[in-house]
Amino acid sequence: MAERQRPRAKTIWPRMSAPFVQAVLAGHSSLGLAFAALIYLVCFSGTVAVLVHDFERWEAPVVAPVEAAGPDTAIATARSFLSGHPATEHIFISLPDINSPRTRIYAELHDGEILEGFADTDGTWSGPAQTPWSAFMLGLHIDLHLPHAVGSFVVGMTGVALLSLLISGLLSHPRIFRDAFHIRLGGTKRLQEADLHNRAGIWALPFHIVIALTGALLGLTTLIAGTLALAFFKGDVEQTYALFFPPALEDDTTPAPIPDLEAILADAAARAPGAELRMLRLDHPGETGQSVHVTMGYADKLAFGDSYIYDGNGALFHSEQVSESSLGTRILQTIGPYHFGWFAGWVSKLAYILLGAALTWVTSTGVAIWTARRRSKGHPAPVTERLWAATVWSQPFAYALSALTALVWPGPDPLLVWAIATGLCLGLTVPLGPVALSTGLRAASALLLTVLPLAHVLRHGADYADPVAWVINAGLLASAALIALSLAWRAAPERRTRMA
Amino acid sequence: MIDALVIAALVATGIAAAFVLRQAWRHPSAARPVLILAGWAAVSALVVIAAIALGSARGPAFAMALIPAGALALVATGVKRREANGRVARSRALEPSLRGAKIWRGIMRTLVAAPLGCVVSLTLGIAWTVWFPSDPQTRIVLGGVLVPVLWAGAMAWALTDDRILRPALTMIALTLAGAALIAIEGF
């Protein structure tokens, strides 16, 4: 009541006419409803994907973190891998960085097989890493596991819709400053959800805009590049991409020795003082047309770094310093770190998880406001209420179940488990109402998230070579506790009567 | 060391700026404009300091993530429980306008917001790429960034305007103008 007696202060927010705000609200509602499930899925999966490097380490905790890595590690890794796989087309060796203290290998063999994994601390390649769940959850965020061109377009369009919702959300909020600090729980469901929706939407707005814009751009890359190619290069997309990639050597499959990698890395280090080796890439190793690509990164830059390419004789034939590269190239190289929060280790990851969860929450409460409004007007939408409750709470459940399955029974594809679990949750909307769905799925999620770390300890033993497994296990237990707390809060007798 | 200091300063500034703004919001007085100015000035200054201390790309990235996180944490501490006074709280929020449920209007809006919005944003993005005086990479990337921004704006307009023909005709005109600009200059 005290709030009502407070004198109204002037606001600098432009006064908007009621019909305009109502029209924007109508557009905001219809777009939000149309894309709600997709936006929710992309935001939820994106929040989890921030930790993909750490979940990879959690799935393969037998690989110890690398304390210090440099040119010697990269060379040892290259030799170790190539000795077992002489028919290699390309090999990328990424050295430990702020995101992950592991030496990562990605290789394409002549027969098209792709191998990914981690080297041991001494650079030894001990086989592909078994991290199917991490690959599943990253793929779900990037292209929903649809054919890449289609999936990334859908995700990109979802980013555009999110950006559009941010615009209409701002325009439909004439009390943006007047309500800037109101978070009032209790009362009607609609007012409570509106407060949560608006506060999390406004105070994290810079983050929301950056995530939506970079996500849309990453998703629409194929469309934009394809359109440019149609307009200017007679449909040849390679010519568009070629503007951003260094020139390639002429293909010559005649066998040849691998050039002196020590000398090449020493030369690159001399050319980039203050930088450290980030990536060593060998194209067509062991052939006359081979090349060695060295990336030297700087601690104070988000861009990958300087690029030096050497031919099969070890002679430099192309270089590009990040300080001299075009603005466009530098922007392009910073989009990924900006989108995923991979620029400051745990600090940025934790901030991105908090803010990503806020964005996911904004999506969830948006639909809840719409259904509550319908109900308060005497036009409830019970099917939407059920579907939305199942959509929101199916994801923690399906993610936890797919992770648990991948851990204890590596046979089934995590994507299949996730799809079945999500489908099952949606199927439960037939017999169950929204309260039962929400309560049941929260309880099941909390249970699975509690079992998951215990199963991890049983599966791998408590003597982890990589201690990050403990961090992830603690995070899983904390998530379970949070969900259980939300259940307890929801079950309070006072809320049961007032929020119905 | 510098990183840690700037990180701490960014979170602290997010909290402090939100605190100062909340003081201004809670207690309207003569000092209110000063407090508002101080809150936003602190945020702006720290974004600049972060850019200088951590790098022109890294600094703003830190600021974009940490200042809102700090502010959100402070705002979350102000959670209040609505009084149980036996009355149903009334929302002062406006209701969305009722447009009727004509199917053709819905189809029209969808077509303008999605395919037409996509075409006009792509056309204008490419027109930018063609005309912007810079190297090809910068022209393409900036043109590419424009595409989702323009499409989002077009989508919002198409779904908001009660007269759907207005955004539709404007977007068609802009598409034609963009195509003409592309044809004139070439890549």
Side-chain angles (χ1 to χ4, degrees):
Chain A
M1 295 300 286
E3 284 156 13
R4 286 190 186 168
Q5 292 164 357
R6 185 186 305 140
R8 282 193 172 183
K10 284 183 180 174
T11 172
I12 57 167
W13 195 244
R15 189 171 290 278
M16 288 172 279
S17 70
F20 173 77
V21 172
Q22 289 177 304
V24 178
L25 270 174
H28 188 72
S29 296
S30 54
L31 182 61
L33 280 175
F35 276 88
L38 268 175
I39 292 175
Y40 180 80
L41 180 58
V42 170
C43 290
F44 182 91
S45 59
T47 304
V48 182
V50 168
L51 293 177
V52 66
H53 298 118
D54 308 288
F55 273 110
E56 283 176 345
R57 295 167 63 190
W58 177 78
E59 282 195 279
V62 291
V63 183
V66 179
E67 298 291 336
D72 293 345
T73 314
I75 293 167
T77 305
R79 288 187 176 140
S80 171
F81 184 87
L82 290 173
S83 65
H85 303 88
T88 297
E89 193 79 8
H90 307 282
I91 175 171
F92 298 74
I93 298 164
S94 306
L95 292 188
D97 60 13
I98 196 163
N99 295 309
S100 174
R102 289 193 181 179
T103 306
R104 176 184 299 272
I105 299 158
Y106 173 92
E108 295 174 20
L109 306 186
H110 284 170
D111 60 6
E113 187 183 1
I114 290 174
L115 295 175
E116 286 182 83
F118 307 106
D120 291 336
T121 47
D122 61 356
T124 308
W125 161 259
S126 50
Q130 300 302 317
T131 55
W133 190 78
S134 302
F136 145 74
M137 63 102 156
L138 185 62
L140 190 66
H141 181 66
I142 289 174
D143 58 14
L144 306 173
H145 289 286
L146 297 171
H148 183 71
V150 178
S152 63
F153 173 74
V154 173
V155 172
M157 197 165 73
T158 305
V160 171
L162 180 56
L163 201 53
S164 183
L165 283 166
L166 294 172
I167 295 170
S168 57
L170 272 179
L171 293 176
S172 65
H173 203 341
R175 299 169 56 84
I176 192 167
F177 287 122
R178 195 159 288 162
D179 288 343
F181 293 93
H182 276 311
I183 302 187
R184 296 155 297 192
L185 302 182
T188 64
K189 182 175 172 63
R190 177 183 170 186
L191 291 179
Q192 174 183 291
E193 300 291 346
D195 268 2
L196 291 170
H197 183 79
N198 293 336
R199 293 307 86 73
I202 292 296
W203 284 99
L205 190 63
F207 171 83
H208 300 334
I209 291 173
V210 166
I211 293 302
L213 179 59
T214 51
L217 195 58
L218 288 167
L220 296 178
T221 300
T222 308
L223 175 72
I224 294 168
T227 311
L228 275 169
L230 270 178
F232 305 117
F233 303 122
K234 296 178 180 172
D236 184 0
V237 183
E238 294 304 319
Q239 287 195 51
T240 308
Y241 288 129
L243 291 168
F244 294 93
F245 291 112
L249 283 172
E250 201 169 313
D251 208 10
D252 183 346
T253 57
T254 313
I258 291 174
D260 184 349
L261 294 177
E262 282 91 348
I264 285 175
L265 292 181
D267 182 72
R271 290 173 188 276
E276 56 187 31
L277 179 63
R278 287 270 168 84
M279 192 173 78
L280 173 66
R281 167 182 168 178
L282 281 77
D283 292 323
H284 311 290
E287 298 176 6
T288 302
Q290 67 190 319
S291 60
V292 179
H293 191 148
V294 182
T295 303
M296 304 294 294
Y298 296 86
D300 64 342
K301 289 185 168 53
L302 284 188
F304 301 149
D306 295 352
S307 177
Y308 301 96
I309 305 179
Y310 299 82
D311 64 16
N313 297 317
L316 183 73
F317 85 93
H318 177 81
S319 68
E320 183 174 353
Q321 278 79 26
V322 67
S323 56
E324 292 171 10
S325 58
S326 67
L327 175 67
T329 305
R330 278 181 282 156
I331 291 175
L332 199 64
Q333 291 187 1
T334 56
I335 288 174
Y338 258 87
H339 185 72
F340 286 99
W342 296 336
F343 54 83
W346 282 103
V347 174
S348 57
K349 286 179 190 175
L350 288 175
Y352 267 59
I353 288 169
L354 172 70
L355 297 171
L359 185 53
T360 311
W361 191 251
V362 169
T363 313
S364 165
T365 50
V367 179
I369 292 168
W370 185 85
T371 55
R373 183 193 293 137
R374 287 283 301 246
R375 192 165 276 281
S376 69
K377 297 287 173 195
H379 306 293
V383 176
T384 309
E385 286 175 0
R386 288 171 184 224
L387 282 172
W388 190 242
T391 302
V392 168
W393 291 107
S394 66
Q395 290 316 295
F397 172 73
Y399 263 60
L401 185 65
S402 60
L404 186 62
T405 312
L407 184 67
V408 299
W409 184 28
D413 187 341
L415 174 62
L416 182 68
V417 178
W418 171 84
I420 291 172
T422 303
L424 181 72
C425 295
L426 294 175
L428 285 174
T429 56
V430 177
L432 298 179
V435 175
L437 279 165
S438 168
T439 307
L441 289 174
R442 284 190 219 202
S445 304
L447 180 66
L448 284 174
L449 286 167
T450 307
V451 170
L452 195 50
L454 300 176
H456 194 268
V457 173
L458 287 175
R459 165 86 167 74
H460 293 286
D463 189 21
Y464 296 132
D466 191 336
V468 83
W470 287 116
V471 178
I472 294 292
N473 282 341
L476 293 169
L477 286 174
S479 307
L482 270 178
I483 294 176
L485 272 176
S486 78
L487 260 178
W489 186 74
R490 188 189 176 92
E494 182 193 357
R495 278 192 49 76
R496 272 209 304 269
T497 50
R498 292 173 58 201
M499 299 297 286
Chain B
M1 184 61 186
I2 290 176
D3 278 18
L5 284 174
V6 177
I7 286 166
L10 285 167
V11 177
T13 301
I15 295 171
F19 180 77
V20 169
L21 292 170
R22 190 168 71 179
Q23 289 301 102
W25 177 80
R26 278 183 174 167
H27 310 291
S29 66
R32 190 169 183 263
V34 178
L35 289 174
I36 292 174
L37 204 64
W40 290 114
V43 170
S44 311
L46 211 71
V47 173
V48 174
I49 291 169
I52 294 168
L54 303 176
S56 57
R58 270 178 95 229
F62 274 84
M64 177 271 298
L66 298 180
I67 292 177
L72 208 54
L74 188 276
V75 172
T77 63
V79 170
K80 285 184 179 169
R81 181 166 280 277
R82 280 193 175 88
E83 295 168 24
N85 54 15
R87 287 178 298 173
V88 175
R90 195 166 54 87
S91 169
R92 283 173 287 180
L94 291 166
E95 298 291 330
S97 59
L98 298 170
R99 290 166 167 161
K102 289 188 176 169
I103 291 176
W104 70 268
R105 274 184 173 274
I107 295 171
M108 183 83 172
R109 273 187 203 286
T110 307
L111 289 175
V112 176
L116 185 55
C118 179
V119 169
V120 69
S121 57
L122 276 171
T123 310
L124 294 179
I126 293 176
W128 169 283
T129 302
V130 167
W131 281 86
F132 188 70
S134 183
D135 57 274
Q137 290 87 351
T138 302
R139 287 153 58 194
I140 287 175
V141 171
L142 292 182
V145 171
L146 266 184
V147 172
V149 173
L150 292 173
W151 192 1
M155 209 178 253
W157 186 17
L159 296 172
T160 295
D161 203 323
D162 285 333
R163 296 177 181 174
I164 187 60
L165 275 180
R166 188 161 47 190
L169 292 175
T170 308
M171 285 185 214
I172 290 169
L174 284 172
T175 305
L176 293 174
L181 284 172
I182 296 166
I184 290 168
E185 183 68 13
F187 192 63

